[in-house]
C-alpha cells in the first residue's frame, strides 16, 4: 500500500551495457573485447535500491520502455523489495541505456540514451501523488526532465515531506527554485564546482562551497568527498562540519554517491530526530562498504551486511 511507503524516489533507470576491450575503438573501427555484462544503473534507481536494502519501505516513480530491459528492470525492483506501483512502461521510447566501453587501463567511453526517462512527467507524478504526499522522504536527481524533478520536490514540500535533492549530473545554470525546494542538497566535489564556479580540492574548499550553496536557500548542504567522507553545512551550526570516514581499500567507487544518498534517505525516514551529522557519518560507512566490491547496485550492502550499531 502506498500509505506506508517511507522513501519515494522520482528518478531514472538505466541499463548499463558494458564491454571490456583492450582499448577504445576509433571511428569506423570494429575491435574484439573480452567481456560483456549488463548491469542495473541510473542514479534514481540506485539510490532507491540502497534505501530498500537498508530496510526502508520504498517506491520508485520512473518510466522504462515496454521492452526486455524495461521488463528486467521492473523485476529488479521487485527482487529488491521496491514497490513498482508507479514504475510505468511506455511504448514510445526505449528503456534508458548506457553503452559503456572500458579499456584495460580503466578508461571508458560512454553513450547515454535517456529514452523513456525523459517521458516521466506531470501525469505520472499525479498518479503517484498519494505515495509522495504520505512518504517521509522524497529523493530526486537530474537524470530525468528537470521540470519533473522540481515539481516532485515541490509536491513533497507542500505536504511536509522531507526532500533530498542530488543535482547530478550537474548543470551550470541550475534554477534557484531547486535550492528552495531542497531540505538536504547533496552533491559531490565536481558538482559543487560546476554549481558555484569555485574549485574544490580540499575539506576547506568543500566547506566554503557548502556555505555558498546553503546561501542559495536550501535547508542543509552535504558535499561528499570520496575517501575523505563529507562536509555537512547547516544554518544553525554556522561552522561547516567535516565528517571523515574510515579508510578502506576501494575496489570500485562507481555508485558510491548513490549508496550514500540512499542511506541518507533511509536514516532521514526512519530516524527523523537523529542529527544530520550522525546520519552523514552512518551514510559514509554504508557507502564505504559499497566501494569495497565491484559493480554498482551489486556492491550496495544490505542491512544484514552492516554492523548493528548503524541501525
Ligand atoms: N575510497 C573511498 N573510501 C571510503 N569511502 C568512500 C570512498 N569513495 C567514496 N566513499 C564514500 O562514498 C561517498 C560518495 O563518494 P563520492 O566519490 O564523493 O561521490 P560520487 O560517487 O558521486 O563521485 C563519500 O562521501 C564516502 O562516504
Ligand atoms: C560526481 O558525480 C558525477 C555525476 O554527476 C560524476 O561524473 C563525477 O565523476 C563525480 N565526481 C567526483 C569527484 O567523484
Amino acid at each position: 500500500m502506498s500509505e506506508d511507503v517511507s522513501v519515494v524516489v522520482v528518478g531514472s533507470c538505466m541499463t548499463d551495457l558494458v564491454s571490456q576491450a583492450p582499448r577504445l575503438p576509433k571511428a569506423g573501427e570494429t575491435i574484439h573485447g573480452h567481456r560483456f555484462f549488463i548491469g542495473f544503473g541510473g542514479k534514481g534507481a540506485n539510490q532507491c535500491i540502497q534505501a530498500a536494502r537498508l530496510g526502508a519501505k520504498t517506491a520508485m516513480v520512473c518510466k522504462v520502455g515496454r521492452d526486455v530491459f524495461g521488463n528486467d528492470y521492473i523485476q529488479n525492483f521487485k527482487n529488491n523489495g521496491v514497490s513498482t506501483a508507479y514504475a510505468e512502461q511506455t511504448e514510445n521510447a526505449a528503456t534508458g541505456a548506457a553503452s559503456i566501453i572500458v579499456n584495460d587501463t580503466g578508461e571508458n567511453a560512454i553513450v547515454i540514451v535517456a529514452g523513456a526517462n525523459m517521458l516521466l512527467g506531470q501525469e505520472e507524478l499525479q498518479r503517484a501523488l498519494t505515495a509522495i504526499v504520505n512518504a517521509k522522504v522524497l529523493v530526486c536527481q537530474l537524470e530525468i526532465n528537470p521540470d519533473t524533478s522540481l515539481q516532485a520536490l515541490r509536491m513533497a514540500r507542500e505536504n511536509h515531506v522531507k526532500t533530498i535533492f542530488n543535482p547530478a549530473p550537474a548543470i551550470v545554470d541550475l534554477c534557484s527554485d531547486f535550492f528552495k525546494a531542497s531540505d538536504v542538497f547533496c552533491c559531490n566535489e565536481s558538482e559543487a564546482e560546476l554549481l558555484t564556479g569555485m574549485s574544490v580540492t580540499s575539506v576547506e574548499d568543500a566547506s566554503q562551497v557548502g556555505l555558498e550553496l546553503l546561501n542559495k536557500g536550501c535547508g542543509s548542504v552535504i558535499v561528499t568527498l570520496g575517501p575523505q567522507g563529507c562536509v555537512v553545512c547547516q544554518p544553525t551550526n554556522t561552522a561547516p562540519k567535516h565528517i571523515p570516514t574510515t579508510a578502506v581499500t576501494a575496489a570500485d567507487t562507481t555508485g558510491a554517491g548513490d549508496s550514500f544518498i540512499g542511506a541518507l534517505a533511509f536514516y532521514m525516514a526512519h530516524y527523523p530526530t537523529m542529527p544530520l551529522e550522525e546520519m552523514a557519518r552512518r551514510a559514509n560507512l554504508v557507502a564505504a562498504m559499497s566501494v569495497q566490491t565491484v559493480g554498482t547496485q551489486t556492491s550496495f550492502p544490505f542491512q544484514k551486511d552492516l554492523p548493528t550499531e548503524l541501525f
Side-chain angles (χ1 to χ4, degrees):
M1 282 289 97
S2 58
E3 284 68 30
D4 57 8
V5 167
S6 64
V7 174
V8 173
V9 178
V10 175
S12 59
C13 300
M14 297 275 183
T15 304
D16 293 335
L17 304 166
V18 186
S19 298
Q20 292 175 348
R23 59 184 176 78
L24 307 180
K26 298 186 184 79
E29 192 186 17
T30 300
I31 62 169
H32 284 264
H34 42 75
R35 193 168 108 87
F36 174 79
F37 64 92
I38 297 179
F40 295 108
K43 291 172 193 297
N46 292 344
Q47 294 169 18
C48 190
I49 280 171
Q50 178 64 87
R53 288 187 181 178
L54 298 180
K57 194 111 178 19
T58 57
M60 183 73 196
V61 181
C62 62
K63 187 143 280 193
V64 295
R66 193 166 291 289
D67 50 28
V68 284
F69 294 132
N71 296 344
D72 286 357
Y73 219 119
I74 288 182
Q75 187 57 48
N76 178 52
F77 283 129
K78 290 181 174 157
N79 295 346
N80 283 280
V82 174
S83 166
T84 56
Y86 314 101
E88 298 186 9
Q89 289 188 279
T90 178
E91 306 279 353
N92 299 326
T95 299
S99 299
I100 304 171
I101 303 165
V102 185
N103 71 16
D104 287 341
T105 61
E107 290 174 313
N108 57 37
I110 304 178
V111 177
I112 291 178
V113 181
N117 288 298
M118 287 304 157
L119 300 183
L120 185 65
Q122 172 141 16
E123 287 173 29
E124 291 75 15
L125 290 182
Q126 284 306 323
R127 286 195 279 274
L129 186 68
T130 319
I132 295 173
V133 305
N134 288 298
K136 301 276 186 287
V137 174
L138 176 102
V139 190
C140 286
Q141 315 74 24
L142 288 175
E143 278 185 343
I144 58 171
N145 183 335
D147 294 339
T148 307
S149 291
L150 183 56
Q151 203 182 351
L153 292 166
R154 285 175 164 161
M155 241 180 195
R157 260 303 184 81
E158 283 162 12
N159 291 280
H160 313 289
V161 177
K162 293 274 181 233
T163 58
I164 300 175
F165 177 56
N166 171 219
I171 42 184
V172 181
D173 42 12
L174 183 69
C175 169
S176 63
D177 293 351
F178 278 98
F179 295 96
K180 300 187 187 92
S182 305
D183 286 306
V184 180
F185 188 96
C186 183
C187 63
N188 71 16
E189 293 155 275
S190 29
E191 289 150 0
E193 285 185 348
L194 248 150
L195 291 166
T196 61
M198 295 159 74
S199 95
V200 183
T201 57
S202 64
V203 170
E204 290 66 37
D205 290 349
S207 303
Q208 276 296 312
V209 97
L211 289 176
E212 180 87 9
L213 292 169
L214 191 62
N215 279 334
K216 296 180 189 273
C218 28
S220 327
V221 174
I222 301 179
V223 180
T224 63
L225 299 167
Q228 298 207 82
C230 61
V231 165
V232 177
C233 298
Q234 290 177 280
T236 41
N237 339 3
T238 38
K241 186 86 198 282
H242 177 218
I243 318 285
T245 188
T246 51
V248 298
T249 307
D252 179 2
T253 60
T254 318
D258 293 336
S259 174
F260 181 97
I261 290 168
L264 182 68
F266 164 77
Y267 290 117
M268 279 175 65
H270 290 262
Y271 302 84
T273 62
M274 185 182 282
L276 185 61
E277 291 173 6
E278 175 60 14
M279 295 191 204
R281 188 187 70 83
R282 294 184 189 200
N284 269 340
L285 299 177
V286 173
M289 189 69 106
S290 82
V291 305
Q292 293 176 69
T293 34
V294 292
T296 306
Q297 291 179 14
T298 50
S299 74
F300 291 178
F302 290 79
Q303 182 165 344
K304 65 170 170 50
D305 305 322
L306 292 157
T308 53
E309 301 89 79
L310 291 182
F311 299 94

